[in-house]
């Protein structure tokens, strides 16, 4: 079965987001929760994970594990989103309404990945 175009769009989204961790690491370092150690390595590791999971969507043998990995990664990233709501400084200058909008968006992205487990 040929993958639908929107699965390739998902793949491109995660590959692009992962690459941005390496191009603009300061953007991601700004939103790292203070309670986590090793901020820079975690930013680079999460970028690498996004790239690999995005690439994994292209292959039948790695598609399911990549989808589960994306869902797990998005669940972990919820910690960052909730952290950003804790104070103005943690919010990195983003308006509160954007920070609140990111929460349902995160769940929508999880559902999007979950959808492909059924097809």
């Amino acid at each position: 079965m040929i993958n639908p175009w929107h699965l390739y769009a998902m793949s491109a989204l995660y590959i692009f987001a992962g690459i941005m961790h390496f191009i603009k690491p300061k953007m991601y370092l700004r939103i790292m929760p203070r309670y986590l150690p090793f901020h820079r390595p975690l930013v680079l590791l999460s970028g690498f994970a996004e790239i690999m999971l995005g690439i994994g969507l292209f292959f039948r043998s790695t598609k399911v594990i990549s989808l589960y990995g994306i869902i797990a990664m998005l669940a972990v990233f919820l910690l960052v989103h909730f952290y950003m709501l804790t104070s103005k400084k943690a919010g990195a200058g983003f308006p509160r309404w954007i920070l609140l909008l990111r929460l349902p968006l995160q769940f929508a992205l999880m559902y999007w990945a979950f959808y492909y487990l059924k097809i």
Side-chain angles (χ1 to χ4, degrees):
M1 179 177 131
I2 296 174
N3 289 326
W5 68 268
H6 35 88
L7 181 65
Y8 296 114
M10 175 188 276
S11 176
L13 172 85
Y14 289 108
I15 293 169
F16 174 76
I19 290 169
M20 291 306 295
H21 282 69
F22 294 93
I23 294 174
K24 299 273 189 189
K26 287 182 182 178
M27 180 172 70
Y28 297 93
L29 288 168
R30 284 180 26 192
I31 63 172
M32 284 292 288
R34 297 290 152 229
Y35 56 82
L36 291 175
F38 312 114
H39 288 179
R40 187 165 186 79
L42 284 175
V43 165
L44 298 177
L45 180 64
S46 62
F48 179 73
E50 284 186 284
I51 293 167
M52 297 312 295
L53 292 169
I55 291 171
L57 295 176
F58 285 110
F59 305 100
R60 189 177 320 155
S61 61
T62 56
K63 182 175 125 182
V64 170
I65 192 70
S66 291
L67 289 167
Y68 279 118
I70 287 168
I71 293 167
M73 178 184 66
L74 291 170
V76 170
F77 288 174
L78 277 171
L79 295 171
V80 172
H81 298 304
F82 283 117
Y83 170 75
M84 291 180 76
L85 287 167
T86 61
S87 72
K88 197 167 192 125
K89 184 176 181 182
F94 289 101
R96 189 156 180 85
W97 68 269
I98 289 178
L99 299 176
L100 289 168
L101 185 63
R102 290 175 67 190
L103 295 173
L105 175 62
Q106 200 76 357
F107 287 104
L109 291 172
M110 286 182 206
Y111 177 79
W112 189 19
F114 181 75
Y115 169 80
Y116 294 111
L117 291 172
K118 298 184 279 181
I119 62 170

